[in-house]
Amino acid sequence: MSTECKASKGPKIGVRHLQSLLLFLGLTVMHIARLNVSVAIVAMTNAATTNPNFPEYDWTERHKSYILSSFYWGYILTLCPGSFLCRRYGAKVVLFIASCGTAVFSLITPWCITWGGWQVFCAIRILQGLFQGVIFPCITEHLAMWSPPEERNRLGAFSYTGTDCGTVLAMFISGMIAKGAMGWPGISYVSGALCAAWCILWLICAANNAPESRFISEAECKYIESSLQHNEDFHERSIPIPWRAIGCSVPFMALLVARCSETYGLSTLQAEIPSYMNGVLNMDIQSNAVFSSLPFLAMWLLSYVYLIVADILLRKKYLSLTAVRKLFNTLSFWIPAAALIVIGFLGEDHANIAIALMILSVGVNSGATIGSSLNTIDLSPNHAGILIGLSNTVANVIPIVTPLIAGVIVVDKHDRGQWQIVFGIAAIIFFVGNCVFLVWGTAEVQPWDADDYLTPKDAETCSGKKAPAPAIAPAIDPVLEQQISWPERYTAKAIE
């Protein structure tokens, strides 16, 4: 009997783990391509600090800010469309195209800059942002298709740690390349080559779902599909999106508040604390690559600590999935909130404590991946890509707003009192955002996730529940009538 039980779960290490590894590597190489510009731009404007044998450009601070931010101008535009593209063509094709586009534009960047200057550099960054905007909707959709519920934390959290790995490697590798024989152009060449190599690996090994994989065993395929409760024709059908139910879903709104709060607090930690340390503590932390990368290294390493602890809690059944989500989200929100307040009261004599608190805050915040980032798959495995597209679109507006708010408050960067207001606002948003998630968040699958939810017999309500079937067939809801296809509408009216 134990043998049958073991077989029903498939191999301990299988193709589902390979898919998670591919996603991890994909996020790593694409984040290297995304974030290496912060190092490259220093080498391009101050060649004496790296390799003086390559061209140097006299760009102003305003030009640099345009280059650094231009990626996100394109990125935010394709978050929601990426969800639809993934549903239409599958994660394999869309992620392949996204990585190919990133690779091509990375490889041609040095050549384009020589004749187009910073304006062309901005255009290339915008195009790279357009390609990479589809990444997270596709990754979430792919994880939803491959992750059995009891392994979702393990596979999902490991995949997402690729962002932290890519961030750390972008800072370390880019500086080494810029000082080497290839100079600053080598940063783009290496990034492009890594993305191209991943494209080949992804094209060979990836599959949109278990039944499509060439390498999966029958036992593992059956385990994945049965655990996700997929029918035989599930992957051939197109499931309509219950927009009204999603918009009225309290758990999804709670998740959206949590994601926006986390983005505001983390962007404050990442963007404003270095300026505070420079202005109040008289430290130039940004000039030191080790100090700049330590918070992200802590985030990367602590992600695995969270992953192991969550796995133990769920496997031993000490806590439910909802309880694990809320516990980890509380740790990742409230500890940084407290640290932000303390940092605001530290003086120049306590600079080392401030650095330690910054590293701790960013590192502890990595628990938000298990706490709330993966919650989209809990609420609706069938529409996970749509949910992540919506939430990321809203949340990615926050990093644009954060420096503007800080700029209005902080008139004198040496005034500690003004910085305390900035950190206090972030701490309050951290605290309130998690409170909302604690009260209304859940890891339970929502009723509107059902693939037959938008059939004529199921009247949709804002509560997310299906109305009981009346004795006499009612007239079709006008809103629902617009959401279903015309053949279904015609059939329903004929029956009526």
Side-chain angles (χ1 to χ4, degrees):
M1 184 174 180
S2 60
T3 305
E4 293 178 0
C5 181
K6 183 177 179 180
S8 65
K9 290 190 175 184
K12 289 184 177 181
I13 302 296
V15 177
R16 63 191 186 280
H17 300 96
L18 174 62
Q19 302 301 310
S20 180
L21 176 61
L22 289 172
L23 295 179
F24 167 84
L25 294 175
L27 281 173
T28 299
V29 299
M30 282 187 267
H31 270 71
I32 291 174
R34 177 194 300 194
L35 301 173
N36 60 23
V37 68
S38 61
V39 177
I41 202 170
V42 174
M44 295 166 70
T45 55
N46 189 5
T49 61
T50 53
N51 189 332
N53 297 324
F54 293 88
E56 180 175 321
Y57 299 92
D58 186 20
W59 293 336
T60 66
E61 291 300 319
R62 186 179 66 177
H63 295 156
K64 293 178 186 178
S65 66
Y66 289 158
I67 295 168
L68 290 172
S69 63
S70 56
F71 177 92
Y72 298 95
W73 303 349
Y75 181 79
I76 199 171
L77 295 178
T78 51
L79 281 168
C80 276
S83 305
F84 294 100
L85 290 172
C86 187
R87 288 170 66 94
R88 177 66 178 84
Y89 300 105
K92 181 174 181 177
V93 171
V94 179
L95 274 178
F96 176 77
I97 294 174
S99 186
C100 280
T102 302
V104 170
F105 285 112
S106 291
L107 292 171
I108 67 173
T109 293
W111 177 77
C112 291
I113 291 175
T114 56
W115 64 266
W118 68 270
Q119 295 92 337
V120 172
F121 199 1
C122 283
I124 290 175
R125 295 291 294 170
I126 292 172
L127 291 171
Q128 284 184 318
L130 287 170
F131 275 99
Q132 289 205 23
V134 305
I135 291 175
F136 279 102
C138 286
I139 285 177
T140 305
E141 193 82 22
H142 200 64
L143 285 170
M145 292 294 104
W146 276 95
S147 303
E150 65 180 39
E151 299 182 24
R152 189 169 292 156
N153 271 335
R154 192 181 312 146
L155 298 176
F158 174 74
S159 300
Y160 273 77
T161 57
T163 60
D164 305 318
C165 179
T167 302
V168 173
L169 291 179
M171 293 182 178
F172 277 112
I173 294 177
S174 298
M176 294 169 57
I177 294 172
K179 291 180 180 179
M182 291 190 292
W184 62 259
I187 297 175
S188 296
Y189 296 146
V190 171
S191 299
L194 288 173
C195 288
W198 182 84
C199 282
I200 298 172
L201 192 63
W202 176 256
L203 194 62
I204 296 172
C205 301
N208 289 322
N209 49 66
E212 285 187 15
S213 176
R214 295 174 293 173
F215 308 106
I216 196 169
S217 65
E218 184 179 349
E220 185 181 10
C221 181
K222 185 179 296 184
Y223 164 55
I224 293 172
E225 292 296 293
S226 61
S227 67
L228 296 174
Q229 299 180 356
H230 287 170
N231 299 324
E232 290 185 3
D233 62 341
F234 176 84
H235 299 292
E236 282 73 39
R237 290 185 288 115
S238 177
I239 304 174
I241 305 169
W243 291 109
R244 183 162 151 239
I246 292 174
C248 295
S249 173
V250 174
F252 177 64
M253 290 297 109
L255 170 62
L256 188 59
V257 170
R259 298 295 301 131
C260 290
S261 303
E262 195 262 342
T263 305
Y264 188 96
L266 184 60
S267 62
T268 300
L269 282 166
Q270 293 175 338
E272 304 305 329
I273 284 186
S275 299
Y276 168 78
M277 289 182 170
N278 176 253
V280 177
L281 305 182
N282 294 319
M283 293 179 59
D284 188 11
I285 193 170
Q286 289 176 310
S287 65
N288 192 315
V290 176
F291 281 134
S292 298
S293 59
L294 275 178
F296 302 102
L297 180 61
M299 178 177 274
W300 182 22
L301 296 177
L302 282 176
S303 295
Y304 296 111
V305 175
Y306 279 117
L307 177 58
I308 294 170
V309 173
D311 199 44
I312 293 173
L313 292 175
L314 291 173
R315 192 173 65 250
K316 300 291 186 180
K317 297 183 179 179
Y318 293 139
L319 293 174
S320 66
L321 181 58
T322 297
V324 169
R325 294 266 186 256
K326 293 183 177 181
L327 172 62
F328 282 30
N329 211 65
T330 299
L331 294 174
S332 62
F333 277 43
W334 286 359
I335 291 178
L340 278 168
I341 295 175
V342 174
I343 289 174
F345 286 93
L346 294 176
E348 189 174 347
D349 296 335
H350 303 93
N352 291 333
I353 298 177
I355 293 175
L357 286 174
M358 183 183 71
I359 295 171
L360 175 67
S361 300
V362 177
V364 169
N365 186 254
S366 63
T369 299
I370 293 177
S372 53
S373 294
L374 294 174
N375 191 225
T376 52
I377 307 178
D378 300 329
L379 299 179
S380 178
N382 289 332
H383 306 296
I386 296 295
L387 298 188
I388 198 70
L390 293 172
S391 60
N392 276 11
T393 299
V394 177
N396 275 279
V397 176
I398 304 299
I400 301 174
V401 177
T402 304
L404 299 178
I405 294 175
V408 171
I409 296 172
V410 180
V411 180
D412 179 8
K413 69 176 184 178
H414 302 289
D415 189 335
R416 184 191 299 174
Q418 294 175 0
W419 284 106
Q420 288 172 349
I421 296 173
V422 172
F423 297 152
I425 292 173
I428 291 171
I429 291 175
F430 256 144
F431 181 81
V432 174
N434 185 61
C435 286
V436 172
F437 189 71
L438 286 176
V439 175
W440 290 289
T442 182
E444 299 295 328
V445 177
Q446 298 303 290
W448 41 267
D449 176 66
D451 52 3
D452 61 347
Y453 182 75
L454 286 180
T455 55
K457 65 179 181 297
D458 295 329
E460 187 179 4
T461 65
C462 269
S463 64
K465 298 179 180 179
K466 299 177 183 178
I472 302 176
I476 299 176
D477 186 342
V479 176
L480 178 60
E481 186 176 6
Q482 295 175 3
Q483 293 176 328
I484 60 178
S485 62
W486 70 265
E488 294 172 320
R489 190 160 62 246
Y490 179 85
T491 305
K493 286 185 176 293
I495 295 173
E496 181 184 351

